Amino acid sequence: MRRFCILLLLALANLGLFAAAPTARADAPPRASDAATRGKIFDDLFAKLGRAPDEASAAQIRALIERVWAHSGSPTADLLMTRAESALKAGKPAPAAALLDRIVSLYPDWSLGWRRRAQSALSQGDSEGAMLDFNRALQAEPRDFLAMGELAELLRATKQDRPALELMRRALALDPHNESLREEAEQLQRQIEGRDI
């Protein structure tokens, strides 16, 4: 995890998205825990996303956030996720579900585990289980705009338009340059207001 954080910080510094940290002596103890370092990375990336000057810049920052989300901090969890995603892509829902169950039991604070398990549940027609798992993803990472978007779609499919619109607005507050989401939210707002008249 420490090596990943250092590589990510260097990549962000090269992109001008994150100020390079001062170098520490090799024998110096770490100044922050991995969780604190990860939290700082997310805080900085989300601040940059909110202030992005245009869609192209926002897309780059969005991609970086997704890459950080893809790493749990545990090689075991990352390996299990790779296998689960391969099973999902191969159309093997049972092995994928078993792997994802294992991931969320071992790493309950990793939002990607919950989000992938929700997607697996959806692929098996379990929309109720998917809703629960998307909500667990948002408990683990309240800024998971991907979980917000997918949960909003699911809520719309079950005619729960107001909660769906609220999720879209939360996602837009984090990612104001997401034009497709903005258009979808505006369309849904018009539909809701039209029904209220």
Side-chain angles (χ1 to χ4, degrees):
M1 175 66 181
R2 186 173 182 195
R3 181 174 170 221
F4 169 74
C5 288
I6 291 169
L7 291 173
L8 182 62
L9 289 172
L10 290 173
L12 295 174
N14 287 338
L15 289 171
L17 297 174
F18 194 77
T23 56
R25 293 186 353 247
D27 59 342
R31 285 188 264 172
S33 70
D34 289 341
T37 302
R38 193 172 169 87
K40 173 78 171 123
I41 290 168
F42 278 126
D43 290 346
D44 288 341
L45 285 171
F46 275 102
K48 298 285 186 190
L49 183 61
R51 294 190 312 262
D54 53 40
E55 171 54 30
S57 300
Q60 286 181 335
I61 299 165
R62 212 177 288 130
L64 280 171
I65 291 170
E66 290 178 40
R67 274 185 261 168
V68 176
W69 275 336
H71 296 279
S72 67
S74 162
T76 303
D78 292 346
L79 177 63
L80 290 171
M81 182 59 76
T82 299
R83 290 181 177 167
E85 289 176 337
S86 295
L88 284 171
K89 288 177 187 168
K92 298 178 180 177
L99 287 163
L100 291 164
D101 287 346
R102 184 84 173 141
I103 290 168
V104 298
S105 69
L106 293 172
Y107 308 97
D109 294 332
W110 189 24
S111 67
L112 180 63
W114 293 105
R115 188 165 16 103
R116 287 289 186 263
R117 195 170 93 155
Q119 293 163 342
S120 175
L122 274 178
S123 75
Q124 297 177 66
D126 182 8
S127 57
E128 194 172 304
M131 279 190 198
L132 291 171
D133 285 346
F134 280 130
N135 277 306
R136 289 295 301 267
L138 290 170
Q139 287 173 3
E141 173 50 77
R143 298 174 290 193
D144 188 338
F145 51 78
L146 297 174
M148 287 178 205
E150 291 183 74
L151 181 55
E153 284 180 35
L154 189 53
L155 289 168
R156 287 191 73 183
T158 57
K159 308 296 185 209
Q160 298 179 60
D161 291 344
R162 288 188 186 282
L165 181 59
E166 182 56 36
L167 278 171
M168 291 177 189
R169 288 177 175 159
R170 279 177 53 196
L172 281 168
L174 295 167
D175 185 8
H177 282 290
N178 189 330
E179 289 304 317
S180 63
L181 182 60
R182 181 177 306 287
E183 289 170 11
E184 192 176 339
E186 288 171 356
Q187 178 188 8
L188 182 56
Q189 183 175 346
R190 285 192 297 271
Q191 288 174 359
I192 290 171
E193 288 172 352
R195 285 196 303 256
D196 289 345
I197 293 177

